[in-house]
Amino acid sequence: MASICFYFQVHQPYRIKRYRIQDVGQHSRYFDHQDQTNLNNRWILNKVSKKCYLPANELFIKLLRKYPELKISYSLSGVFLEQIRDWQPRVLRSFQALVATGQVEILAETYYHSLASLYSEQEFTDQIAQHRSIVKDLLGVEPRVFRNTELIYSDQIVAHIKKLGYLAMITEGADHILDWRSPNFLYQASESELPLLLKNYKLSDDIAFRFSSKDWSGYPLTAPKFAQWLSAINGSGELINLFMDYETFGEHQWQSTGIFEFLEALPGELLKHPDNDFITPSEVVERYEPIAKLSIPEPISWADVERDLSAWRSNSIQQQALEEIYSLESEVKKSQNNQLLTDWRRLQTSDHFYYMCTKWFADGDVHKYFNPYESPYEAYIAYANCLADLKLRLEEEQVNLSNQVSAMVQS
Amino acid sequence: MYGGPLKVLMFGWEFPPHNSGGLGTACYGLSTALASDHQLTFVLPRKLDLEHQYLNFEFGDREIDVQAVNSLLKAYADLNSYRAFLRGSLGNYGQSLLAEVERYSTQVEPIAQRVQPDIIHAHDWLSFGAGIKAKEATNRPLVAHVHATEFDRTGGTGVNQQVYNKEREGLEAADHVIAVSSFTKSTLVEHYGITPKKISVVHNGVLPDKPDRSQSLPFAKYKELGYKIVLFVGRVTIQKGPDYFLKTAKNVLSYLPKTIFLMVGSGDMAEQMINLSVELGISGNIFFPGFLRGQELHSIYQVADVFVMPSVSEPFGITPLEAMLNGVPVIISKQSGVAEVITHGFKADFWDIEEMTNQIVGVLKSGPLRQIMSKNGRRNAKVQTWKRAADKCAKIYQQVVRSS
């Protein structure tokens, strides 16, 4: 028996506009870029909704009705849910319809798709709780399995997730942790013994990255071919974890590549093999026993070939920006100013630090990765200016607070 | 013949340290790199003693045959500056710049006859006439190399029709045209009607310099006192946008008063810029060290915290690459050719004072940003070599020779 576990990541950050030094102290609208460019969050959401979220959701609803055996799971960031609630209610309704099929599991994550797990246990906990609450509100369910931002994982993080009561955690089946072992089994964390689902990155990336690549030996990837690859795992594995960004469907792989036709044909092809079935992460934990323990002291992720944290904190500007934003935690929380707290948290979204990455850019190849800014340096300056403004607001709060206190003392 | 060494007759401009701008640096960099594989005769105009019409001189250890021809032509000469040279000179020179261009071109004929080149290569319009004459005399193909056009030099205002005609004549007579950037190529297509197929882009290189670290650095006292230094290096002419630099300086000072601005270079707008700095009330924070070269220029790069090139129209622009080699973060005009090869720097429209202010303040405020830009910028500039440019030129020669 090989069980196929699909999990799709759905996320859109609040991108920072070109917030200049001239804006600091003048206004604090960091995220409201108005021109129709890749910094306009609403414009991007509308664009991706049309190309991906609406057609992909419609297709999955159809497939779930047609195949009652089909199961899929999603992780939707809190900032994504907020944006569709405010700007794309149709997309929200289609996710609600997906959940209503009973064949869809929703996973837990941090509300702000942040790196809080690496900097502050308290903030990490708060954001997970905030995410639970919006998922409950908008989708009516309570997640039981946790996936961290960009599948970032370490022994320390999993210990905390266990304390919070989650059933299992999802991460990357990185070569350097698995070595000779197969990702196609359930594992568990060495200390906390929490079950771990590991992404089969080869098969996942065949769809997510290579589907339309003409230089790839697997091209063209058809549903019968892919189903055959998966079925071949029967006997040598129990579980095939296919984890990818949901934007794969229609946004990264355009409609014209045939990605939707591929997806539509895939469940039928997989079910032709009697030993295949579909499973959600929490069902995995109920059905399978962990095959081995894994100790992962250094954080891993699903990003790039390195599968480490270098996409978000390998250079001096990323490190400085991260240290500075998290250094403000106690002051921001003391202020009890909700807008300040929200802005501070939106500035924690991992994408901001990703845009400052220079590791690919170092060879002068700008086109290797997506960046809505002209350069990582521009991304940093906009971010640094927001931080400067945020700090001004904090100072102002403190002055107001002490004025109130002295007024109270005098009266 | 294909692939083998070629006899190249090149019409260019004076090498450093006798140059007054990037054109001489470009001629030096390109011809020395080419000379390692090809046989080069380099002809340049130079004011010689009365008794000499020609002068043959050796050039270092490179096997370049350098021939000076007595002429008042100089890189960047324009109609006005020529009149000034002429007033201070004795000799049988042309009565106007255009007459001198014509006279120079007839003087080069005997050299061309003697060299019998495989290919002729002329740099910028002042030498296009010489290139055409040499082509006529030897029936060999001509490559016209464009480092700047009349549209760049005048910032788009007041293009001189006679100069334009001479430029166009050279471009049309050439068998192939080399532009220093895609930016310049599009000017040649749009304003000169040259077919894009006839134009290749060869980006300039930058020469690695050998710093003498024993020298004490200028403005050291300011650095000790915590001042940051913003640097402009270029001819102080309309093309280079010195006025935008000063207006940006005023804005930056409102955020970071402990900043000084250096405007290095000379040119016809120098006095106007000194007056402007007084008008803007920022003269206390601006220094005009004049034209610097060699070790002096190098020391200035060493102390700078950020380099700004706000050119209105810059066909290439080597100075930001020099700054990057010295580890200085750069902010460059989007209206420049060098923007095509710089990924590790900021870019802004030359008129966007607000954005340049934002970028300068951003760089000056952040040590980590300066550190990463310095490291990556050095790497970015290092690969931009004259060897790369020369190899591309050589390929073009081979193609032109084959099809002629």
Side-chain angles (χ1 to χ4, degrees):
Chain A
M1 195 74 171
S3 299
I4 294 148
C5 180
F6 276 111
Y7 134 63
F8 305 116
Q9 179 60 37
V10 199
H11 167 62
Q12 291 294 338
Y14 285 105
R15 293 161 199 83
I16 296 168
K17 69 173 176 192
R18 291 197 178 81
Y19 187 82
R20 293 174 171 180
I21 188 72
Q22 292 88 347
D23 297 311
V24 176
Q26 301 297 317
H27 71 88
S28 305
R29 298 181 303 275
Y30 310 146
F31 311 102
D32 74 335
H33 187 88
Q34 297 297 330
D35 297 348
Q36 297 207 342
T37 70
N38 283 330
L39 288 175
N40 180 329
N41 297 307
R42 187 169 185 164
W43 182 75
I44 293 176
L45 186 75
N46 291 344
K47 191 178 74 168
V48 183
S49 295
K50 207 167 136 194
K51 284 171 77 177
C52 165
Y53 303 136
L54 288 169
N57 284 4
E58 191 187 342
L59 178 58
F60 272 114
I61 289 168
K62 188 169 122 186
L63 288 170
L64 290 164
R65 279 199 194 117
K66 186 170 170 191
Y67 304 103
E69 314 90 319
L70 181 60
K71 307 276 177 64
I72 55 175
S73 52
Y74 291 95
S75 188
L76 308 110
S77 72
V79 282
F80 172 79
L81 285 167
E82 217 179 76
Q83 290 183 66
I84 56 171
R85 181 195 63 201
D86 297 345
W87 297 331
Q88 276 286 346
R90 259 184 81 197
V91 174
L92 176 58
R93 282 196 300 274
S94 67
F95 275 111
Q96 287 164 338
L98 278 165
V99 172
T101 63
Q103 295 155 260
V104 170
E105 179 169 338
I106 301 295
L107 306 179
E109 65 167 290
T110 58
Y111 190 101
Y112 292 93
H113 198 271
S114 73
L115 304 176
S117 61
L118 303 167
Y119 289 88
S120 163
E121 202 163 89
Q122 185 56 52
E123 179 60 13
F124 186 40
T125 311
D126 291 353
Q127 289 188 19
I128 295 169
Q130 197 182 347
H131 182 256
R132 272 189 93 71
S133 148
I134 195 169
V135 168
K136 184 89 200 303
D137 273 2
L138 298 181
L139 302 173
V141 292
E142 297 195 345
R144 299 199 295 160
V145 172
F146 187 79
R147 80 106 230 176
N148 197 15
T149 306
E150 308 287 348
L151 300 193
I152 291 169
Y153 177 92
S154 71
D155 290 344
Q156 200 191 338
I157 295 168
V158 75
H160 189 67
I161 292 306
K162 164 106 178 184
K163 264 196 282 176
L164 295 179
Y166 287 95
L167 283 182
M169 199 169 155
I170 274 177
T171 188
E172 174 65 281
D175 287 335
H176 70 274
I177 57 151
L178 279 175
D179 198 3
W180 53 271
R181 289 168 292 203
S182 158
N184 303 326
F185 292 93
L186 185 64
Y187 286 82
Q188 70 183 162
S190 59
E191 290 283 312
S192 64
E193 301 191 331
L194 200 74
L196 297 180
L197 283 78
L198 305 182
K199 175 184 156 197
N200 183 317
Y201 75 81
K202 201 204 145 289
L203 290 166
S204 301
D205 295 351
D206 284 344
I207 300 177
F209 300 142
R210 288 181 284 272
F211 181 77
S212 60
S213 163
K214 294 194 168 120
D215 315 327
W216 174 45
S217 62
Y219 183 87
L221 186 61
T222 61
K225 191 195 282 183
F226 194 68
Q228 199 189 352
W229 293 350
L230 261 54
S231 303
I233 290 170
N234 272 294
S236 63
E238 296 173 329
L239 171 66
I240 305 167
N241 293 316
L242 300 177
F243 303 163
M244 63 199 76
D245 282 336
Y246 200 39
E247 293 79 13
T248 297
F249 307 107
E251 170 73 5
H252 301 163
Q253 306 292 343
W254 291 359
Q255 187 200 355
S256 60
T257 62
I259 190 76
F260 287 111
E261 287 79 2
F262 168 82
L263 200 56
E264 181 158 16
L266 190 60
E269 288 296 329
L270 286 168
L271 290 170
K272 276 184 189 166
H273 198 295
D275 286 337
N276 291 336
D277 70 352
F278 296 98
I279 196 165
T280 67
S282 58
E283 290 171 342
V284 169
V285 180
E286 284 156 21
R287 192 183 306 168
Y288 294 108
E289 284 299 314
I291 191 168
K293 289 186 173 183
L294 291 176
S295 169
I296 305 173
E298 283 304 309
I300 60 166
S301 80
W302 73 356
D304 311 328
V305 284
E306 295 93 340
R307 302 293 202 275
D308 61 9
L309 302 180
S310 57
W312 308 280
R313 56 172 198 189
S314 56
N315 69 33
S316 52
I317 48 178
Q318 292 173 308
Q319 285 157 12
Q320 197 242 352
L322 275 161
E323 275 158 29
E324 198 155 341
I325 190 80
Y326 284 103
S327 75
L328 301 177
E329 179 177 356
S330 67
E331 281 181 68
V332 169
K333 287 182 175 169
K334 253 188 278 171
S335 82
Q336 307 211 327
N337 174 332
N338 278 332
Q339 191 54 49
L340 199 55
L341 183 64
T342 300
D343 285 342
W344 175 67
R345 285 183 163 155
R346 284 184 181 180
L347 289 172
Q348 290 180 41
T349 300
S350 66
D351 303 66
H352 305 314
F353 311 102
Y354 186 83
Y355 300 146
M356 296 175 202
C357 186
T358 50
K359 69 176 177 174
W360 314 278
F361 195 72
D363 300 317
D365 189 351
V366 198
H367 307 291
K368 263 188 190 161
Y369 75 113
F370 174 74
N371 192 339
Y373 301 91
E374 281 181 27
S375 73
Y377 313 120
E378 195 190 73
Y380 170 79
I381 285 200
Y383 192 87
N385 287 337
C386 291
L387 270 181
D389 185 74
L390 197 80
K391 284 201 262 186
L392 273 184
R393 289 162 69 191
L394 270 174
E395 235 180 284
E396 212 179 359
E397 283 292 321
Q398 281 157 358
V399 171
N400 289 346
L401 217 66
S402 62
N403 286 349
Q404 279 169 22
V405 170
S406 52
M408 268 160 56
V409 171
Q410 279 167 17
S411 64
Chain B
M1 171 96 244
Y2 178 69
L6 293 168
K7 261 198 273 178
V8 182
L9 178 60
M10 188 175 278
F11 294 105
W13 303 95
E14 286 220 275
F15 293 164
H18 302 289
N19 61 320
S20 58
L23 192 52
T25 316
C27 285
Y28 172 84
L30 188 66
S31 56
T32 48
L34 273 168
S36 62
D37 293 326
H38 301 276
Q39 194 185 327
L40 213 66
T41 300
F42 191 93
V43 182
L44 77 167
R46 194 184 208 196
K47 193 180 170 189
L48 300 174
D49 297 338
L50 278 177
E51 61 270 26
H52 289 112
Q53 190 53 33
Y54 300 99
L55 184 69
N56 200 341
F57 53 95
E58 294 292 307
F59 184 70
D61 54 351
R62 300 277 182 165
E63 296 197 352
I64 304 179
D65 170 29
V66 181
Q67 303 271 342
V69 175
N70 193 3
S71 166
L72 284 187
L73 295 184
K74 275 189 184 179
Y76 311 108
D78 60 27
L79 303 175
N80 295 330
S81 67
Y82 182 78
R83 258 179 246 127
F85 303 147
L86 187 64
R87 271 198 293 277
S89 308
L90 283 174
N92 191 20
Y93 302 117
Q95 286 306 301
S96 68
L97 180 64
L98 287 152
E100 183 62 5
V101 166
E102 188 59 32
R103 201 190 64 84
Y104 173 62
S105 67
T106 57
Q107 299 292 306
V108 305
E109 265 197 78
I111 301 176
Q113 292 285 7
R114 180 165 49 76
V115 172
Q116 286 298 315
D118 297 307
I119 192 143
I120 303 154
H121 188 152
H123 293 278
D124 266 6
W125 80 278
L126 291 165
S127 76
F128 285 175
I132 294 172
K133 273 286 186 315
K135 178 181 158 121
E136 285 166 4
T138 60
N139 201 21
R140 300 294 185 188
L142 169 65
V143 172
H145 199 137
V146 181
H147 297 262
T149 69
E150 184 66 0
F151 288 87
D152 304 307
R153 288 184 293 266
T154 58
T157 57
V159 168
N160 182 292
Q161 190 62 36
Q162 286 173 301
V163 172
Y164 171 84
N165 290 347
K166 282 283 163 199
E167 285 181 320
R168 185 158 179 165
E169 194 186 316
L171 296 167
E172 283 172 354
D175 296 90
H176 201 79
V177 176
I178 293 175
V180 291
S181 59
S182 303
F183 175 79
T184 295
K185 179 174 176 169
S186 60
T187 305
L188 298 180
V189 173
E190 281 165 34
H191 294 297
Y192 293 80
I194 307 300
T195 166
K197 272 192 302 197
K198 192 174 149 178
I199 311 170
S200 301
V201 172
V202 177
H203 290 119
N204 285 338
V206 59
L207 295 167
D209 54 1
K210 298 172 202 87
D212 172 6
R213 299 206 181 273
S214 64
Q215 297 237 342
S216 66
L217 294 175
F219 302 100
K221 202 74 197 166
Y222 281 94
K223 297 288 271 192
E224 272 170 40
L225 292 171
Y227 281 81
K228 293 283 190 290
I229 297 181
V230 183
L231 178 63
F232 169 105
V233 176
R235 284 175 298 112
V236 185
T237 61
I238 190 165
Q239 184 191 345
K240 304 289 178 179
D243 42 340
Y244 294 101
F245 182 74
L246 292 188
K247 287 172 188 163
T248 304
K250 183 176 171 68
N251 278 2
V252 171
L253 284 166
S254 68
Y255 297 101
L256 301 170
K258 285 186 89 170
T259 310
I260 61 170
F261 297 82
L262 308 182
M263 182 170 277
V264 175
S266 55
D268 58 13
M269 280 171 78
E271 206 181 305
Q272 195 187 329
M273 289 306 103
I274 294 169
N275 292 336
L276 180 61
S277 72
V278 174
E279 258 170 56
L280 293 170
I282 54 172
S283 55
N285 292 68
I286 314 259
F287 293 87
F288 297 90
F291 183 81
L292 300 179
R293 66 167 87 248
Q295 187 54 45
E296 281 185 317
L297 179 57
H298 182 84
S299 309
I300 290 278
Y301 282 131
Q302 291 294 304
V303 294
D305 293 289
V306 62
F307 175 93
V308 186
M309 184 186 78
S311 296
V312 172
S313 181
E314 185 69 72
F316 191 77
I318 295 177
T319 49
L321 291 174
E322 290 174 353
M324 287 161 81
L325 276 184
N326 282 287
V328 185
V330 301
I331 293 167
I332 56 169
S333 155
K334 285 184 182 174
Q335 288 69 32
S336 74
V338 76
E340 295 160 25
V341 301
I342 292 179
T343 46
H344 294 275
F346 283 104
K347 294 166 195 177
D349 290 306
F350 71 88
W351 44 261
D352 196 347
I353 289 165
E354 296 269 295
E355 181 58 13
M356 283 190 285
T357 302
N358 179 46
Q359 293 169 345
I360 294 170
V361 173
V363 172
L364 294 184
K365 278 175 71 175
S366 171
L369 182 59
R370 290 198 300 280
Q371 184 199 325
I372 185 90
M373 287 187 78
S374 172
K375 185 179 125 204
N376 290 335
R378 224 182 229 127
R379 199 162 140 185
N380 189 170
K382 264 188 188 153
V383 299
Q384 205 60 38
T385 62
W386 280 111
K387 167 92 173 68
R388 195 152 95 168
D391 287 349
K392 223 171 157 189
C393 262
K395 270 201 192 113
I396 292 165
Y397 291 167
Q398 303 286 4
Q399 277 165 11
V400 173
V401 167
R402 252 187 314 168
S403 58
S404 71

